[in-house]
Amino acid sequence: MAFDRDYGDFLNRMDDLTGRLQVKLETTYDGIWDTPHAFQYLNRFERLTEVLPIGGMNSKYSRMIATFKKEMDRTMQTFKRQTSNPPVVRNYPNASGKIYWVRSLVYHLRSVIEKFEKEDNLKRMPEYRKLVKQYNDTG
């Protein structure tokens, strides 16, 4: 009888601790999903979901995809705005400096899309296909 009561109390405390830990993790790392550092934390959170009931991973994936879509739009706006007079690296001839500038924009987008390619859970999202299509149209 006493054991059952103590065991029930233990389970209640563990549930409470798990809930508080989940809330703490969610509030602490809420802003990370809108930054390039999200890929560093993605694997950690996926491993934690096996142990803790951390919900909303699909919303985190969607936020990451939306953030990269905004980044792609920003890069395209920069390209369109500076096409006629792009910033040229010092000591570069004008033509090769422009080529270098365009390649750096493409490299920036490619590096992020390659990170997306490595994540199977992100590739399952319906927004991912739209993102890849937009990237292919851009590049």
Side-chain angles (χ1 to χ4, degrees):
M1 190 75 157
F3 174 76
D4 292 336
R5 187 172 7 105
D6 290 343
Y7 184 67
D9 185 43
F10 171 75
L11 290 178
N12 288 337
R13 287 182 180 187
M14 287 303 297
D15 288 341
D16 181 50
L17 180 64
T18 302
R20 288 190 301 180
L21 182 60
Q22 179 182 0
V23 169
K24 179 67 174 171
L25 285 171
E26 290 290 334
T27 55
T28 302
Y29 294 104
D30 184 48
I32 199 73
W33 306 111
D34 299 326
T35 67
H37 299 293
F39 289 102
Q40 295 173 353
Y41 291 95
L42 185 62
N43 291 330
R44 294 176 188 170
F45 266 77
E46 287 173 346
R47 282 186 300 212
L48 275 174
T49 57
E50 297 169 3
V51 180
L52 290 173
I54 297 175
M57 286 305 288
N58 284 340
S59 68
K60 291 172 180 54
Y61 299 146
S62 296
R63 283 175 63 183
M64 290 174 68
I65 291 171
T67 299
F68 181 62
K69 185 179 179 334
K70 289 177 191 173
E71 181 67 25
M72 205 176 329
D73 293 340
R74 232 177 296 137
T75 302
M76 284 306 297
Q77 288 174 353
T78 301
F79 175 75
K80 289 176 182 175
R81 188 175 56 248
Q82 295 180 341
T83 296
S84 60
N85 190 19
V88 177
V89 180
R90 187 185 318 180
N91 296 329
Y92 266 66
N94 198 24
S96 60
K98 290 178 182 180
I99 292 170
Y100 182 80
W101 173 73
V102 170
R103 285 185 178 172
S104 69
L105 293 176
V106 171
Y107 175 76
H108 171 68
L109 294 177
R110 186 183 317 130
S111 66
V112 178
I113 204 77
E114 286 174 354
K115 290 178 183 177
F116 275 101
E117 291 283 329
K118 294 177 185 174
E119 301 296 334
D120 291 331
N121 290 328
L122 286 170
K123 289 166 52 174
R124 291 186 193 117
M125 299 293 292
E127 298 95 356
Y128 175 75
R129 291 183 194 97
K130 295 175 188 174
L131 183 73
V132 170
K133 184 179 180 332
Q134 182 181 1
Y135 170 75
N136 289 334
D137 292 344
T138 302

